[in-house]
Coordinates of all heavy atoms in Angstrom, one line a residue:
M1 N -106.0 -126.6 -14.0 CA -104.7 -126.5 -13.4 C -104.5 -125.1 -12.9 O -104.7 -124.2 -13.6 CB -103.7 -127.0 -14.4 CG -102.3 -126.9 -13.8 SD -100.9 -127.2 -15.0 CE -101.4 -128.9 -15.6
K2 N -104.0 -125.0 -11.7 CA -103.7 -123.7 -11.1 C -102.3 -123.3 -11.7 O -101.5 -124.1 -12.1 CB -103.5 -123.8 -9.6 CG -104.9 -124.2 -8.9 CD -104.9 -124.0 -7.4 CE -103.8 -124.8 -6.7 NZ -103.9 -124.7 -5.2
S3 N -102.1 -122.0 -11.7 CA -100.8 -121.5 -12.2 C -100.1 -120.7 -11.1 O -100.7 -120.3 -10.2 CB -101.1 -120.5 -13.4 OG -101.8 -119.4 -13.0
I4 N -98.8 -120.6 -11.3 CA -98.0 -119.8 -10.4 C -97.1 -118.8 -11.2 O -97.0 -119.0 -12.4 CB -97.0 -120.7 -9.6 CG1 -96.2 -121.6 -10.5 CG2 -97.8 -121.6 -8.6 CD1 -95.0 -122.2 -9.8
E5 N -96.6 -117.8 -10.5 CA -95.7 -116.9 -11.1 C -94.2 -117.4 -10.9 O -93.9 -117.8 -9.7 CB -95.8 -115.5 -10.5 CG -97.0 -114.8 -10.9 CD -97.0 -113.3 -10.4 OE1 -96.0 -112.8 -10.0 OE2 -98.1 -112.8 -10.3
L6 N -93.4 -117.3 -11.9 CA -92.0 -117.6 -11.7 C -91.3 -116.3 -11.6 O -91.6 -115.3 -12.2 CB -91.4 -118.3 -12.9 CG -91.9 -119.7 -13.1 CD1 -91.3 -120.3 -14.4 CD2 -91.5 -120.6 -12.0
H7 N -90.3 -116.2 -10.6 CA -89.5 -115.0 -10.4 C -88.0 -115.3 -10.7 O -87.6 -116.4 -10.4 CB -89.6 -114.6 -8.9 CG -91.0 -114.2 -8.6 ND1 -91.6 -113.0 -8.8 CD2 -92.0 -115.0 -8.0 CE1 -92.9 -113.0 -8.4 NE2 -93.1 -114.2 -7.9
P8 N -87.3 -114.4 -11.3 CA -85.9 -114.6 -11.5 C -85.2 -114.7 -10.2 O -85.5 -114.0 -9.2 CB -85.5 -113.3 -12.3 CG -86.5 -112.3 -12.0 CD -87.8 -113.0 -11.7
A9 N -84.2 -115.6 -10.2 CA -83.4 -115.8 -8.9 C -82.0 -116.2 -9.3 O -81.7 -116.6 -10.4 CB -84.1 -117.0 -8.1
Y10 N -81.1 -116.0 -8.3 CA -79.7 -116.4 -8.4 C -79.5 -117.6 -7.4 O -80.0 -117.6 -6.3 CB -78.8 -115.3 -8.0 CG -78.9 -114.1 -9.0 CD1 -79.7 -113.1 -8.8 CD2 -78.2 -114.2 -10.2 CE1 -79.8 -112.0 -9.7 CE2 -78.3 -113.2 -11.1 CZ -79.1 -112.1 -10.8 OH -79.2 -111.1 -11.8
R11 N -78.7 -118.6 -7.9 CA -78.3 -119.7 -7.1 C -76.9 -119.5 -6.6 O -76.0 -119.0 -7.4 CB -78.4 -121.0 -7.9 CG -78.1 -122.2 -7.0 CD -77.7 -123.4 -7.9 NE -76.5 -123.2 -8.6 CZ -75.3 -123.4 -8.1 NH1 -75.1 -123.6 -6.8 NH2 -74.2 -123.2 -8.8
W12 N -76.6 -119.8 -5.4 CA -75.2 -119.7 -4.8 C -75.0 -120.8 -3.8 O -76.0 -121.3 -3.2 CB -74.9 -118.3 -4.3 CG -75.8 -117.9 -3.1 CD1 -77.1 -117.4 -3.2 CD2 -75.5 -117.9 -1.7 NE1 -77.6 -117.1 -1.9 CE2 -76.6 -117.4 -1.0 CE3 -74.3 -118.3 -1.1 CZ2 -76.6 -117.3 0.4 CZ3 -74.3 -118.2 0.3 CH2 -75.4 -117.7 1.0
D13 N -73.7 -121.1 -3.6 CA -73.4 -122.2 -2.6 C -72.7 -121.5 -1.5 O -71.8 -120.7 -1.6 CB -72.4 -123.2 -3.3 CG -73.1 -123.9 -4.4 OD1 -74.3 -124.2 -4.3 OD2 -72.4 -124.2 -5.4
C14 N -73.1 -121.9 -0.3 CA -72.5 -121.3 1.0 C -71.1 -121.8 1.2 O -70.9 -123.0 1.2 CB -73.4 -121.7 2.1 SG -72.8 -121.0 3.7
D15 N -70.2 -120.9 1.4 CA -68.8 -121.3 1.7 C -68.6 -121.9 3.0 O -67.6 -122.6 3.3 CB -67.9 -120.0 1.5 CG -67.4 -119.8 0.1 OD1 -67.6 -120.7 -0.7 OD2 -66.7 -118.8 -0.1
D16 N -69.5 -121.6 4.0 CA -69.4 -122.1 5.3 C -70.0 -123.5 5.4 O -69.3 -124.4 6.0 CB -70.1 -121.2 6.3 CG -69.2 -120.0 6.6 OD1 -68.2 -119.8 6.0 OD2 -69.6 -119.2 7.5
C17 N -71.2 -123.8 5.0 CA -71.9 -125.1 5.2 C -72.0 -125.9 3.9 O -72.4 -127.0 3.9 CB -73.2 -124.9 5.8 SG -74.5 -124.2 4.8
G18 N -71.7 -125.2 2.7 CA -71.7 -125.9 1.5 C -73.0 -126.2 0.9 O -73.1 -126.8 -0.2
R19 N -74.1 -125.7 1.5 CA -75.4 -125.9 1.0 C -75.8 -124.9 -0.1 O -75.4 -123.8 -0.1 CB -76.4 -126.0 2.1 CG -76.0 -127.2 3.0 CD -76.9 -127.2 4.3 NE -78.2 -127.8 4.0 CZ -79.1 -127.9 4.9 NH1 -78.8 -127.5 6.2 NH2 -80.3 -128.3 4.6
E20 N -76.8 -125.3 -0.9 CA -77.3 -124.5 -2.0 C -78.3 -123.5 -1.5 O -79.2 -123.9 -0.7 CB -77.9 -125.4 -3.1 CG -78.3 -124.7 -4.3 CD -78.8 -125.8 -5.3 OE1 -79.8 -126.4 -5.1 OE2 -78.2 -125.9 -6.4
N21 N -78.3 -122.3 -2.0 CA -79.2 -121.3 -1.7 C -79.7 -120.6 -2.9 O -79.1 -120.6 -4.0 CB -78.5 -120.2 -0.9 CG -78.3 -120.6 0.6 OD1 -79.1 -120.3 1.5 ND2 -77.2 -121.2 0.8
F22 N -80.9 -120.0 -2.8 CA -81.5 -119.2 -3.9 C -81.9 -117.8 -3.3 O -82.3 -117.8 -2.2 CB -82.7 -119.9 -4.5 CG -82.4 -121.1 -5.3 CD1 -82.3 -122.3 -4.6 CD2 -82.1 -121.1 -6.6 CE1 -82.0 -123.5 -5.3 CE2 -81.7 -122.2 -7.3 CZ -81.7 -123.5 -6.6
V23 N -81.7 -116.8 -4.1 CA -82.1 -115.5 -3.7 C -82.8 -114.8 -4.9 O -82.3 -115.0 -6.1 CB -80.9 -114.6 -3.2 CG1 -79.9 -114.4 -4.2 CG2 -81.4 -113.3 -2.6
R24 N -83.9 -114.1 -4.7 CA -84.6 -113.5 -5.8 C -83.7 -112.4 -6.4 O -83.0 -111.7 -5.7 CB -85.9 -112.9 -5.3 CG -87.0 -113.8 -5.2 CD -88.3 -113.1 -4.9 NE -89.4 -114.0 -4.7 CZ -90.7 -113.7 -4.8 NH1 -91.0 -112.4 -5.0 NH2 -91.6 -114.6 -4.6
G25 N -83.9 -112.3 -7.7 CA -83.3 -111.1 -8.4 C -84.4 -110.0 -8.4 O -85.6 -110.3 -8.3
F26 N -84.0 -108.8 -8.6 CA -84.9 -107.7 -8.6 C -85.0 -107.1 -10.0 O -84.0 -106.8 -10.6 CB -84.5 -106.6 -7.6 CG -84.3 -107.1 -6.2 CD1 -83.1 -107.5 -5.7 CD2 -85.4 -107.3 -5.4 CE1 -82.9 -108.0 -4.5 CE2 -85.3 -107.8 -4.1 CZ -84.0 -108.1 -3.6
I27 N -86.2 -107.0 -10.5 CA -86.4 -106.4 -11.9 C -86.1 -104.9 -11.8 O -86.9 -104.2 -11.1 CB -87.7 -106.8 -12.5 CG1 -87.9 -108.3 -12.6 CG2 -87.9 -106.1 -13.8 CD1 -89.2 -108.8 -13.1
A28 N -85.1 -104.5 -12.4 CA -84.7 -103.1 -12.4 C -85.6 -102.3 -13.3 O -85.8 -102.7 -14.5 CB -83.2 -102.9 -12.7
S29 N -86.0 -101.1 -12.9 CA -86.8 -100.2 -13.8 C -85.8 -99.2 -14.3 O -85.3 -98.3 -13.5 CB -87.9 -99.6 -13.0 OG -88.6 -98.7 -13.8
L30 N -85.4 -99.3 -15.6 CA -84.5 -98.4 -16.2 C -85.2 -97.4 -17.1 O -86.1 -97.9 -17.9 CB -83.4 -99.2 -16.9 CG -82.5 -100.1 -16.1 CD1 -81.5 -100.8 -17.1 CD2 -81.7 -99.3 -15.1
P31 N -84.7 -96.2 -17.2 CA -85.3 -95.3 -18.2 C -84.9 -95.9 -19.6 O -83.9 -96.6 -19.7 CB -84.5 -94.0 -18.0 CG -84.0 -94.1 -16.6 CD -83.8 -95.5 -16.3
N32 N -85.7 -95.5 -20.6 CA -85.5 -96.1 -21.9 C -84.1 -95.9 -22.5 O -83.6 -96.8 -23.1 CB -86.6 -95.5 -22.9 CG -88.0 -96.1 -22.7 OD1 -88.1 -97.2 -22.0 ND2 -89.0 -95.4 -23.2
D33 N -83.5 -94.7 -22.2 CA -82.2 -94.5 -22.8 C -81.2 -95.3 -22.1 O -80.2 -95.9 -22.8 CB -81.8 -93.0 -22.7 CG -81.8 -92.4 -21.3 OD1 -82.6 -93.0 -20.5 OD2 -81.1 -91.5 -21.0
E34 N -81.3 -95.6 -20.8 CA -80.4 -96.5 -20.1 C -80.5 -97.9 -20.6 O -79.6 -98.7 -20.7 CB -80.5 -96.4 -18.6 CG -80.0 -95.0 -18.1 CD -80.0 -95.0 -16.6 OE1 -79.9 -96.1 -15.9 OE2 -80.3 -93.9 -16.0
M35 N -81.8 -98.3 -20.8 CA -82.0 -99.7 -21.3 C -81.4 -99.9 -22.6 O -80.8 -100.9 -22.9 CB -83.6 -100.0 -21.3 CG -83.9 -101.4 -21.7 SD -83.2 -102.7 -20.7 CE -84.4 -102.8 -19.4
S36 N -81.6 -98.9 -23.5 CA -81.0 -99.0 -24.8 C -79.5 -99.1 -24.8 O -78.9 -99.9 -25.5 CB -81.3 -97.7 -25.6 OG -82.7 -97.7 -25.9
Q37 N -78.8 -98.4 -23.9 CA -77.4 -98.5 -23.7 C -77.0 -99.8 -23.2 O -76.0 -100.4 -23.6 CB -76.9 -97.4 -22.7 CG -77.0 -96.0 -23.2 CD -76.6 -94.9 -22.2 OE1 -76.4 -95.2 -21.0 NE2 -76.6 -93.7 -22.6
M38 N -77.7 -100.4 -22.2 CA -77.4 -101.7 -21.7 C -77.6 -102.8 -22.8 O -76.8 -103.7 -22.9 CB -78.3 -102.0 -20.5 CG -78.2 -101.1 -19.4 SD -76.5 -101.2 -18.7 CE -76.8 -102.3 -17.3
K39 N -78.7 -102.7 -23.6 CA -78.9 -103.6 -24.7 C -77.7 -103.6 -25.7 O -77.2 -104.6 -26.1 CB -80.2 -103.3 -25.4 CG -81.4 -103.7 -24.7 CD -82.6 -103.4 -25.5 CE -83.9 -103.9 -24.9 NZ -85.1 -103.5 -25.7
E40 N -77.3 -102.3 -26.0 CA -76.1 -102.2 -26.9 C -74.9 -102.8 -26.4 O -74.1 -103.5 -27.0 CB -75.9 -100.7 -27.3 CG -74.8 -100.5 -28.3 CD -74.7 -99.0 -28.6 OE1 -75.6 -98.2 -28.4 OE2 -73.6 -98.7 -29.2
A41 N -74.6 -102.5 -25.1 CA -73.4 -103.1 -24.4 C -73.4 -104.6 -24.4 O -72.3 -105.2 -24.4 CB -73.3 -102.5 -23.0
C42 N -74.6 -105.2 -24.3 CA -74.7 -106.7 -24.2 C -75.0 -107.3 -25.6 O -75.1 -108.5 -25.6 CB -75.8 -107.0 -23.3 SG -75.6 -106.4 -21.6
G43 N -75.1 -106.5 -26.6 CA -75.3 -107.1 -28.0 C -76.8 -107.6 -28.1 O -77.0 -108.5 -29.0
I44 N -77.7 -107.0 -27.4 CA -79.1 -107.4 -27.5 C -79.8 -106.4 -28.5 O -79.7 -105.2 -28.4 CB -79.8 -107.3 -26.2 CG1 -79.1 -108.3 -25.2 CG2 -81.3 -107.6 -26.3 CD1 -79.6 -108.1 -23.7
P45 N -80.5 -106.9 -29.6 CA -81.1 -106.1 -30.5 C -82.1 -105.1 -29.8 O -82.8 -105.5 -28.9 CB -81.9 -107.0 -31.4 CG -81.1 -108.3 -31.3 CD -80.6 -108.4 -29.9
E46 N -82.1 -103.9 -30.3 CA -83.0 -102.8 -29.6 C -84.4 -103.3 -29.6 O -85.1 -103.0 -28.6 CB -82.8 -101.5 -30.4 CG -83.7 -100.4 -29.9 CD -83.3 -100.0 -28.5 OE1 -82.1 -100.1 -28.1 OE2 -84.2 -99.5 -27.7
E47 N -84.9 -104.0 -30.6 CA -86.3 -104.3 -30.7 C -86.7 -105.5 -29.8 O -87.9 -105.7 -29.5 CB -86.8 -104.6 -32.1 CG -86.1 -105.9 -32.7 CD -84.7 -105.6 -33.4 OE1 -84.2 -104.5 -33.1 OE2 -84.2 -106.5 -34.1
D48 N -85.7 -106.2 -29.2 CA -86.0 -107.3 -28.3 C -86.5 -106.8 -26.9 O -85.9 -105.8 -26.4 CB -84.8 -108.2 -28.1 CG -84.5 -109.1 -29.3 OD1 -85.2 -108.9 -30.3 OD2 -83.6 -109.9 -29.2
H49 N -87.5 -107.5 -26.4 CA -87.9 -107.1 -25.0 C -87.0 -107.8 -24.0 O -86.6 -108.9 -24.2 CB -89.3 -107.6 -24.8 CG -89.8 -107.5 -23.4 ND1 -90.2 -106.3 -22.8 CD2 -89.8 -108.4 -22.3 CE1 -90.5 -106.5 -21.6 NE2 -90.2 -107.7 -21.2
C50 N -86.6 -107.1 -23.0 CA -85.8 -107.7 -22.0 C -86.0 -107.0 -20.7 O -86.5 -105.9 -20.7 CB -84.3 -107.7 -22.3 SG -83.5 -106.1 -22.4
E51 N -85.8 -107.7 -19.6 CA -85.8 -107.1 -18.3 C -84.5 -107.2 -17.7 O -83.7 -108.1 -17.9 CB -86.8 -107.9 -17.4 CG -88.2 -107.8 -17.9 CD -89.2 -108.7 -17.1 OE1 -88.7 -109.8 -16.6 OE2 -90.3 -108.3 -16.9
W52 N -84.1 -106.1 -17.0 CA -82.8 -106.1 -16.4 C -82.9 -106.5 -15.0 O -83.6 -105.9 -14.2 CB -82.2 -104.7 -16.5 CG -80.7 -104.7 -16.4 CD1 -80.0 -104.4 -15.3 CD2 -79.9 -105.1 -17.4 NE1 -78.7 -104.6 -15.6 CE2 -78.5 -105.0 -16.9 CE3 -80.0 -105.5 -18.7 CZ2 -77.4 -105.3 -17.6 CZ3 -78.9 -105.8 -19.5 CH2 -77.6 -105.7 -18.9
I53 N -82.2 -107.6 -14.6 CA -82.3 -108.2 -13.3 C -81.1 -107.7 -12.5 O -80.0 -108.0 -12.8 CB -82.4 -109.7 -13.4 CG1 -83.4 -110.2 -14.4 CG2 -82.6 -110.3 -12.0 CD1 -84.8 -109.8 -14.1
A54 N -81.4 -107.1 -11.4 CA -80.4 -106.6 -10.5 C -80.1 -107.7 -9.5 O -80.9 -108.4 -9.0 CB -80.9 -105.3 -9.7
R55 N -78.8 -107.8 -9.2 CA -78.3 -108.8 -8.2 C -78.1 -108.2 -6.8 O -77.8 -107.0 -6.7 CB -77.0 -109.4 -8.7 CG -77.1 -110.2 -10.0 CD -75.8 -110.7 -10.4 NE -75.2 -109.6 -11.2 CZ -74.1 -109.8 -12.0 NH1 -73.5 -111.0 -12.0 NH2 -73.6 -108.8 -12.7
P56 N -78.3 -109.0 -5.8 CA -78.1 -108.4 -4.5 C -76.6 -108.2 -4.2 O -75.7 -108.9 -4.9 CB -78.6 -109.5 -3.5 CG -78.5 -110.8 -4.3 CD -78.7 -110.4 -5.8
T57 N -76.2 -107.3 -3.4 CA -74.8 -107.1 -3.0 C -74.3 -107.9 -1.8 O -73.1 -108.0 -1.6 CB -74.5 -105.6 -2.7 OG1 -75.4 -105.2 -1.6 CG2 -74.8 -104.7 -3.9
R58 N -75.3 -108.5 -1.2 CA -75.0 -109.3 0.0 C -76.0 -110.4 0.1 O -77.2 -110.2 -0.2 CB -75.1 -108.4 1.2 CG -74.9 -109.0 2.6 CD -75.0 -107.9 3.6 NE -73.8 -107.0 3.5 CZ -73.2 -106.5 4.5 NH1 -73.5 -106.8 5.7 NH2 -72.1 -105.7 4.3
V59 N -75.6 -111.6 0.6 CA -76.6 -112.7 0.7 C -76.3 -113.4 2.1 O -75.2 -113.3 2.7 CB -76.4 -113.8 -0.4 CG1 -76.8 -113.2 -1.7 CG2 -75.0 -114.3 -0.4
T60 N -77.4 -114.0 2.6 CA -77.3 -114.7 3.9 C -77.8 -116.1 3.7 O -78.9 -116.3 3.1 CB -78.2 -114.0 5.0 OG1 -77.7 -112.7 5.2 CG2 -78.1 -114.8 6.3
C61 N -77.0 -117.1 4.1 CA -77.4 -118.5 4.0 C -78.6 -118.8 4.8 O -78.7 -118.5 6.0 CB -76.2 -119.4 4.4 SG -76.6 -121.2 4.3
I62 N -79.7 -119.4 4.2 CA -80.9 -119.7 4.9 C -80.6 -120.9 5.9 O -81.4 -121.1 6.8 CB -82.1 -120.0 4.0 CG1 -81.8 -121.3 3.2 CG2 -82.4 -118.8 3.2 CD1 -83.1 -121.8 2.5
H63 N -79.6 -121.6 5.7 CA -79.3 -122.8 6.5 C -78.5 -122.5 7.8 O -78.8 -122.9 8.9 CB -78.6 -123.9 5.7 CG -79.3 -124.2 4.4 ND1 -80.5 -124.9 4.4 CD2 -79.1 -123.9 3.1 CE1 -81.0 -125.0 3.2 NE2 -80.1 -124.4 2.4
C64 N -77.3 -121.8 7.6 CA -76.4 -121.5 8.7 C -76.3 -120.1 9.1 O -75.6 -119.7 10.0 CB -75.0 -122.1 8.4 SG -74.1 -121.1 7.2
K65 N -77.0 -119.2 8.3 CA -77.1 -117.8 8.6 C -75.8 -117.0 8.3 O -75.7 -115.8 8.7 CB -77.6 -117.5 10.0 CG -78.8 -118.2 10.4 CD -80.0 -117.9 9.5 CE -81.3 -118.6 10.0 NZ -82.2 -118.9 8.9
A66 N -74.8 -117.6 7.7 CA -73.6 -116.9 7.3 C -73.9 -115.9 6.3 O -74.8 -116.1 5.4 CB -72.5 -117.9 6.8
T67 N -73.3 -114.7 6.3 CA -73.5 -113.6 5.4 C -72.3 -113.4 4.6 O -71.2 -113.4 5.1 CB -73.9 -112.3 6.1 OG1 -75.2 -112.6 6.8 CG2 -74.2 -111.2 5.2
F68 N -72.5 -113.1 3.3 CA -71.3 -112.9 2.3 C -71.6 -111.7 1.5 O -72.8 -111.4 1.1 CB -71.2 -114.1 1.4 CG -71.0 -115.4 2.2 CD1 -72.1 -116.2 2.5 CD2 -69.7 -115.8 2.6 CE1 -71.9 -117.4 3.2 CE2 -69.6 -117.0 3.2 CZ -70.6 -117.8 3.6
S69 N -70.5 -111.0 1.1 CA -70.7 -110.0 0.0 C -70.7 -110.8 -1.3 O -70.3 -112.0 -1.3 CB -69.5 -109.0 0.0 OG -68.3 -109.7 -0.2
V70 N -71.2 -110.2 -2.4 CA -71.3 -110.9 -3.6 C -70.3 -110.4 -4.6 O -70.1 -109.2 -4.8 CB -72.8 -110.7 -4.2 CG1 -72.9 -111.2 -5.5 CG2 -73.8 -111.2 -3.2
S71 N -69.7 -111.4 -5.3 CA -68.8 -111.0 -6.4 C -69.5 -111.3 -7.7 O -70.4 -112.2 -7.8 CB -67.5 -111.8 -6.3 OG -67.7 -113.2 -6.4
Y72 N -69.1 -110.6 -8.8 CA -69.8 -110.7 -10.0 C -68.8 -111.2 -11.1 O -67.9 -110.5 -11.5 CB -70.4 -109.4 -10.5 CG -71.4 -108.9 -9.5 CD1 -71.1 -107.7 -8.8 CD2 -72.6 -109.6 -9.2 CE1 -72.1 -107.2 -7.9 CE2 -73.5 -109.1 -8.3 CZ -73.2 -107.9 -7.6 OH -74.1 -107.5 -6.7
P73 N -69.0 -112.5 -11.5 CA -68.1 -113.0 -12.5 C -68.2 -112.4 -13.9 O -67.4 -112.5 -14.7 CB -68.4 -114.5 -12.5 CG -69.8 -114.6 -12.1 CD -70.0 -113.4 -11.1
L74 N -69.4 -111.8 -14.2 CA -69.6 -111.3 -15.5 C -69.3 -109.8 -15.6 O -69.6 -109.0 -14.7 CB -71.1 -111.4 -15.9 CG -71.6 -112.8 -16.0 CD1 -73.1 -112.8 -16.3 CD2 -70.9 -113.6 -17.1
T75 N -68.6 -109.4 -16.7 CA -68.4 -108.0 -16.9 C -68.8 -107.6 -18.3 O -68.9 -108.5 -19.2 CB -66.9 -107.6 -16.8 OG1 -66.1 -108.4 -17.7 CG2 -66.4 -107.9 -15.4
F76 N -69.2 -106.4 -18.5 CA -69.7 -106.0 -19.8 C -68.8 -104.8 -20.3 O -68.3 -104.1 -19.5 CB -71.1 -105.5 -19.7 CG -72.1 -106.5 -19.3 CD1 -72.5 -106.6 -18.0 CD2 -72.5 -107.5 -20.2 CE1 -73.4 -107.6 -17.6 CE2 -73.4 -108.5 -19.8 CZ -73.8 -108.6 -18.5
K77 N -68.7 -104.8 -21.6 CA -67.9 -103.7 -22.2 C -68.5 -102.4 -21.9 O -69.7 -102.2 -22.0 CB -67.8 -104.0 -23.7 CG -66.9 -103.0 -24.4 CD -66.9 -103.3 -25.9 CE -66.0 -102.4 -26.7 NZ -66.3 -101.0 -26.5
D78 N -67.6 -101.5 -21.5 CA -68.0 -100.1 -21.2 C -67.4 -99.2 -22.3 O -66.3 -99.4 -22.7 CB -67.5 -99.7 -19.8 CG -68.0 -98.3 -19.4 OD1 -68.1 -97.4 -20.2 OD2 -68.4 -98.2 -18.2
D79 N -68.1 -98.2 -22.7 CA -67.6 -97.3 -23.8 C -66.3 -96.7 -23.4 O -65.5 -96.3 -24.2 CB -68.7 -96.2 -24.1 CG -69.8 -96.8 -24.9 OD1 -69.7 -97.9 -25.5 OD2 -70.9 -96.2 -25.0
D80 N -66.1 -96.5 -22.0 CA -64.9 -95.8 -21.6 C -63.7 -96.8 -21.5 O -62.6 -96.3 -21.4 CB -65.1 -95.3 -20.1 CG -66.2 -94.2 -20.1 OD1 -66.4 -93.5 -21.2 OD2 -66.8 -94.0 -19.1
D81 N -64.0 -98.1 -21.7 CA -62.9 -99.1 -21.7 C -62.4 -99.5 -23.0 O -61.7 -100.5 -23.2 CB -63.4 -100.3 -20.9 CG -63.6 -100.0 -19.4 OD1 -63.1 -99.0 -18.9 OD2 -64.4 -100.8 -18.8
D82 N -62.8 -98.8 -24.1 CA -62.4 -99.3 -25.4 C -61.0 -98.8 -25.9 O -60.6 -99.0 -27.0 CB -63.5 -98.9 -26.5 CG -63.6 -97.3 -26.6 OD1 -62.8 -96.6 -25.9 OD2 -64.5 -96.9 -27.4
G83 N -60.3 -98.1 -25.0 CA -58.9 -97.8 -25.3 C -58.7 -96.6 -26.2 O -57.7 -96.3 -26.6
Q84 N -59.8 -95.9 -26.5 CA -59.7 -94.7 -27.3 C -59.9 -93.4 -26.5 O -60.4 -93.4 -25.5 CB -60.8 -94.7 -28.4 CG -60.7 -95.9 -29.3 CD -61.8 -96.0 -30.3 OE1 -62.7 -95.1 -30.4 NE2 -61.8 -97.0 -31.2
Ligands
ZN101 ZN1 -74.5 -121.9 5.0

């Protein structure tokens, strides 16, 4: 059996034509100290392997060619936001 590589991707629905789209995520290369900070902010144990997937800031529908900026529904706790 032949094998293929899977790549992380984001799914989004076009507001103009309503069709489903996919766009690849980009694996971010972070320095070890920044990766440790991100793991801590997300509650991921330091010893766990993880890859940080960067999202695009703009997407274009492959069906109707409409272009959109991207909003991010997820937020993470920032040390500066703890009210202290
Ligand atoms: Zn579209």
